[in-house]
């Protein structure tokens, strides 16, 4: 179940400067983002694209109207970093989310590692992100405030709006934190 308390409405409509015949409105940019994230990493049907940028384990592209492109790239496994980026005219960045996270040290250490948790954690993270990112209204940069999945618990805390935000997320199993991540982003005009 997705706790919708963290979802906020789209900020007041204002124009986002763009080259070309007419500027892109913030509402239009937000609508494109909603569509793109519903088909990205959180969507179990999404597949990586090739070729990927060197050093990235996962890359996803989604192209829409008005020459907007959504790019999602992540590298790493037990420690990871990644970006979500919206580009206009294929060379002008307009919006970005940057993320850095890691499994807890006890899970990274080979002597204390639980291979089942290491294997299950990415699927549970995906499930939590998918739950909230498919919501039809509002902005949530990552996942819901709280999402329970059997013995797993996902939490996301963040502040801001589509224009500028920062926050963190955790994933726990039976009350023990398995991974943490921090993120920030917004418009980059």
């Amino acid at each position: 179940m997705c706790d919708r308390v963290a979802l906020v409405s789209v900020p007041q409509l204002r124009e986002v400067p763009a080259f070309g015949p007419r500027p892109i409105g913030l509402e239009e940019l937000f609508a494109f983002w909603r569509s793109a994230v519903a088909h990205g990493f959180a969507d179990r049907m999404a597949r990586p694209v090739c070729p990927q940028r060197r050093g990235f384990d996962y890359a996803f592209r989604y192209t829409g109207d008005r020459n907007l492109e959504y790019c999602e790239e992540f590298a790493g496994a037990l420690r990871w970093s990644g970006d979500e980026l919206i580009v206009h005219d294929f060379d002008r960045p307009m919006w970005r989310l940057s993320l850095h996270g890691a499994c807890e040290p006890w899970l990274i250490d080979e002597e204390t590692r639980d291979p089942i948790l290491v294997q299950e954690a990415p699927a549970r993270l995906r499930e939590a992100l998918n739950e909230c990112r498919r919501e039809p209204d509002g902005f949530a940069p990552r996942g819901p405030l709280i999402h329970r999945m059997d013995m797993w618990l996902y939490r996301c805390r963040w502040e801001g709006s589509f224009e500028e935000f920062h926050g963190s997320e955790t994933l726990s199993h039976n009350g023990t934190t398995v991974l943490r991540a921090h993120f920030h982003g917004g418009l980059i005009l």
Side-chain angles (χ1 to χ4, degrees):
M1 66 176 59
C2 181
D3 187 336
R4 292 174 180 84
V5 175
L7 298 175
V8 294
S9 61
V10 179
Q12 291 291 329
L13 177 64
R14 72 181 182 99
E15 295 298 309
V16 178
F19 299 107
R22 76 175 169 92
I24 294 174
L26 185 58
E27 196 170 273
E28 183 179 2
L29 186 63
F30 178 77
F32 173 76
W33 174 83
R34 295 283 318 152
S35 178
V37 297
H39 297 94
F41 171 79
D43 183 348
R44 290 185 178 111
M45 299 306 291
R47 296 289 181 251
V49 296
C50 290
Q52 298 171 1
R53 261 191 340 164
R54 188 172 179 186
F56 284 86
D57 299 323
Y58 178 86
F60 173 76
R61 302 263 188 286
Y62 177 83
T63 305
D65 295 336
R66 302 278 318 274
N67 287 335
L68 289 171
E69 181 181 36
Y70 172 82
C71 310
E72 205 175 304
E73 297 179 318
F74 290 87
L78 297 177
R79 291 189 176 110
W80 65 93
S81 188
D83 289 296
E84 297 175 21
L85 178 68
I86 296 177
V87 178
H88 182 251
D89 285 337
F90 308 103
D91 67 354
R92 186 165 182 269
M94 297 189 74
W95 184 92
R96 177 180 222 122
L97 176 145
S98 294
L99 172 82
H100 182 78
C103 289
E104 289 297 299
W106 65 268
L107 197 58
I108 294 173
D109 185 333
E110 290 199 25
E111 291 182 23
T112 57
R113 179 180 303 165
D114 181 337
I116 294 172
L117 290 182
V118 171
Q119 184 177 0
E120 282 189 39
R124 296 305 183 149
L125 176 61
R126 214 178 257 232
E127 181 180 334
L129 296 178
N130 192 42
E131 178 71 23
C132 203
R133 287 186 155 195
R134 288 191 172 272
E135 293 295 323
D137 299 315
F139 172 67
R142 291 287 290 164
L145 278 177
I146 298 173
H147 181 69
R148 288 180 175 79
M149 307 156 279
D150 302 320
M151 296 178 284
W152 292 84
L153 177 67
Y154 170 88
R155 291 182 183 266
C156 183
R157 300 284 182 249
W158 65 278
E159 295 179 9
S161 68
F162 182 69
E163 293 183 54
E164 184 175 358
F165 58 88
H166 63 93
S168 62
E169 63 188 359
T170 59
L171 184 64
S172 302
H173 182 264
N174 283 335
T176 302
T177 301
V178 174
L179 63 84
R180 299 175 189 273
H182 299 279
F183 57 87
H184 64 275
L187 295 176
I188 47 174
L189 306 174

